[in-house]
Amino acid sequence: MKTTKIALLTSLLTIALFFSNSKVNAQAKTASASIKGEVKSELILTPTDVDKLPKTSISQKDRTDQEHTYSGVELGLVLKNAGVTLAEELKGENLTKYLLVEASDGYQVIFSLAEIDPAFTSRKIILANRKDDKLLAADEGPFRIIIEGEKRKPRNARQVISLTVKFAN
């Protein structure tokens, strides 16, 4: 009788772990970021989608002075794919547009579109989905903003889930 109860409990625990792991895997597969607002077409990007786009890498030291290589897609290309006003169209009132980056923990960062547009700057800003050739861990991903040459790192937002283009009032 006791052996049967142990076997039953073991089976139930195995089933519970299976469904728990399935849920975690499903969440990892559905990790995404939306691109919305003043865009021609709203997009939902997954890490797999970013892997299909032209790659850019930036090496950066972390808080412990350890160097890491982040790779992803240039943020300007992501915005261009959504139909955001860039390049020759980025003038006049369009220069009052900005990008609001939002993270899953509520953290927010703002960039002017000119900061991101390769027609205005040679500094790279990427939407990274990989760190040292591995998908970002849950505490950093699904995406992270990485800025080349930034002296301070607070705008390197992690756990990015939303990119919204807006007009300043």
Side-chain angles (χ1 to χ4, degrees):
M1 180 87 165
K2 191 174 184 180
T3 306
T4 307
K5 284 183 180 180
I6 291 173
L8 179 63
L9 285 173
T10 303
S11 297
L12 289 173
L13 184 58
T14 302
I15 291 168
L17 284 172
F18 172 79
F19 283 110
S20 169
N21 286 337
S22 295
K23 188 175 181 180
V24 168
N25 288 338
Q27 287 173 341
K29 289 179 185 174
T30 60
S32 63
S34 63
I35 296 91
K36 57 190 177 183
E38 295 293 327
V39 300
K40 288 182 183 165
S41 58
E42 292 189 2
L43 298 176
I44 303 290
L45 276 180
T46 65
T48 304
D49 295 331
V50 169
D51 279 338
K52 295 174 186 174
L53 296 170
K55 289 281 180 262
T56 299
S57 297
I58 297 175
S59 293
Q60 242 181 32
K61 291 185 179 182
D62 63 15
R63 291 180 182 155
T64 63
D65 216 28
Q66 185 176 358
E67 183 121 350
H68 296 284
T69 300
Y70 293 90
S71 61
V73 63
E74 285 195 42
L75 195 51
L77 180 59
V78 170
L79 297 180
K80 181 180 176 184
N81 288 344
V84 173
T85 306
L86 295 172
E88 296 300 319
E89 295 176 331
L90 192 53
K91 58 185 173 187
E93 122 178 294
N94 284 329
L95 277 172
T96 67
K97 289 181 182 176
Y98 63 92
L99 177 69
L100 174 63
V101 176
E102 296 177 273
S104 61
D105 63 359
Y107 193 75
Q108 297 180 329
V109 177
I110 290 178
F111 295 91
S112 73
L113 289 187
E115 285 183 276
I116 299 164
D117 189 343
F120 279 78
T121 183
S122 58
R123 183 190 337 190
K124 289 190 279 186
I125 300 175
I126 65 171
L127 183 65
N129 67 324
R130 294 186 174 273
K131 176 180 174 181
D132 300 327
D133 292 325
K134 296 178 185 156
L135 285 175
L136 291 173
D139 65 338
E140 280 191 278
F143 298 105
R144 184 170 184 162
I145 298 292
I146 301 293
I147 308 162
E148 181 180 60
E150 192 95 327
K151 289 182 180 181
R152 296 188 59 231
K153 307 288 190 275
R155 296 194 312 163
N156 283 357
R158 59 184 179 80
Q159 298 179 324
V160 173
I161 57 167
S162 176
L163 304 167
T164 307
V165 178
K166 296 182 176 188
F167 273 105
N169 292 338

